[in-house]
Amino acid sequence: SQQGEEDPQALSIQEGENATMNCSYKTSINNLQWYRQNSGRGLVHLILIRSNEREKHSGRLRVTLDTSKKSSSLLITASRAADTASYFCATDAGNAGKSTFGDGTTLTVKP
Amino acid sequence: GAGVSQSPSNKVTEKGKDVELRCDPISGHTALYWYRQSLGQGLEFLIYFQGNSAPDKSGLPSDRFSAERTGGSVSTLTIQRTQQEDSAVYLCASSFGQGSPLHFGNGTRLTVT
């Protein structure tokens, strides 16, 4: 089974609204990353948060990490139609090296 | 500089045939990953190469799947005797190693008829 699970599976909002997506994981991690995937394309890295960090910002993106609850959230503020995409969280755990991805949240921003 | 390049972008093959998928990682990246993504699904880990270490093959779904990374650079994922359930997008990514962001190619869409 996947290490990370995002919810909701799908989210539809109006342009200008904020979008919040959540990610839960099962084992201890070194870091957690969020990626975006536009239809038919590869994934693009958005932001990385390390296990000793609680919050990180990048432009309109805000990521929080709660290691006690094994969860993270991605907030996109003032959404735009161009933010329409699937968003995935990925975790690096232990010395495995590999990143494990969840099933993603599909975000639709209506103009 | 150039990103991760995958070829072909699309491949249609008949059931039972072998296919080879190629990945050219970003120069200098020591780690290379293969993932598989079925329509509307998440990424399924297949195999991970890190430097000269033995690859982590724990995600390969069967012995029909194999991968090589030659000279620490280009990688080839080979699927022998393809089955219809192998139809998916195969994504390659590279990075500077553990804890570094992954850079993805646009994938190879494999269709087995």
Side-chain angles (χ1 to χ4, degrees):
Chain A
S1 62
Q2 300 288 6
Q3 157 79 315
E5 294 188 3
E6 291 90 340
D7 94 276
Q9 288 187 332
L11 180 61
S12 181
I13 59 174
Q14 292 294 135
E15 205 165 27
E17 294 180 338
N18 296 340
T20 299
M21 289 159 269
N22 302 296
C23 169
S24 60
Y25 56 92
K26 297 174 183 174
T27 64
S28 296
I29 60 171
N30 297 320
N31 65 68
L32 185 144
Q33 304 177 45
W34 284 92
Y35 290 81
R36 183 186 73 211
Q37 184 180 36
N38 290 90
S39 180
R41 309 284 289 181
L43 280 73
V44 174
H45 180 260
L46 295 176
I47 197 165
L48 180 151
I49 186 165
R50 303 196 186 280
S51 59
N52 61 353
E53 297 176 310
R54 293 296 169 257
E55 187 170 312
K56 209 160 181 182
H57 297 255
S58 177
R60 295 184 294 111
L61 305 181
R62 173 179 168 245
V63 168
T64 62
L65 179 64
D66 187 335
T67 52
S68 67
K69 295 181 179 178
K70 292 188 169 59
S71 67
S72 173
S73 67
L74 170 67
L75 168 68
I76 304 174
T77 60
S79 64
R80 305 167 182 168
D83 294 328
T84 294
S86 293
Y87 291 82
F88 295 87
C89 68
T91 53
D92 268 342
N95 294 319
K98 66 193 181 200
S99 292
T100 306
F101 286 78
D103 288 336
T105 292
T106 300
L107 173 66
T108 302
V109 181
K110 301 174 185 176
Chain B
V4 176
S5 177
Q6 291 189 246
S7 60
S9 54
N10 282 283
K11 176 72 176 178
V12 180
T13 190
E14 292 181 351
K15 178 182 172 181
K17 301 279 190 181
D18 298 352
V19 294
E20 283 190 354
L21 312 180
R22 177 187 170 104
C23 173
D24 282 273
I26 291 173
S27 178
H29 279 186
T30 57
L32 187 147
Y33 311 75
W34 284 97
Y35 290 88
R36 178 168 72 175
Q37 186 177 32
S38 299
L39 186 63
Q41 300 296 310
L43 275 68
E44 176 189 3
F45 168 77
L46 297 177
I47 189 168
Y48 162 60
F49 297 88
Q50 172 58 59
N52 295 322
S53 302
D56 177 350
K57 303 179 181 180
S58 61
L60 294 178
S62 77
D63 59 8
R64 295 187 295 106
F65 288 72
S66 62
E68 290 185 339
R69 188 178 185 192
T70 53
S73 180
V74 172
S75 177
T76 302
L77 176 68
T78 301
I79 308 173
Q80 295 179 312
R81 305 180 302 282
T82 52
Q83 303 295 312
Q84 288 187 329
E85 60 263 30
D86 299 335
S87 296
V89 175
Y90 289 81
L91 291 165
C92 175
S94 68
S95 79
F96 285 115
Q98 188 175 359
S100 299
L102 274 63
H103 297 258
F104 281 84
N106 285 329
T108 293
R109 181 175 298 279
L110 176 66
T111 303
V112 182
T113 60

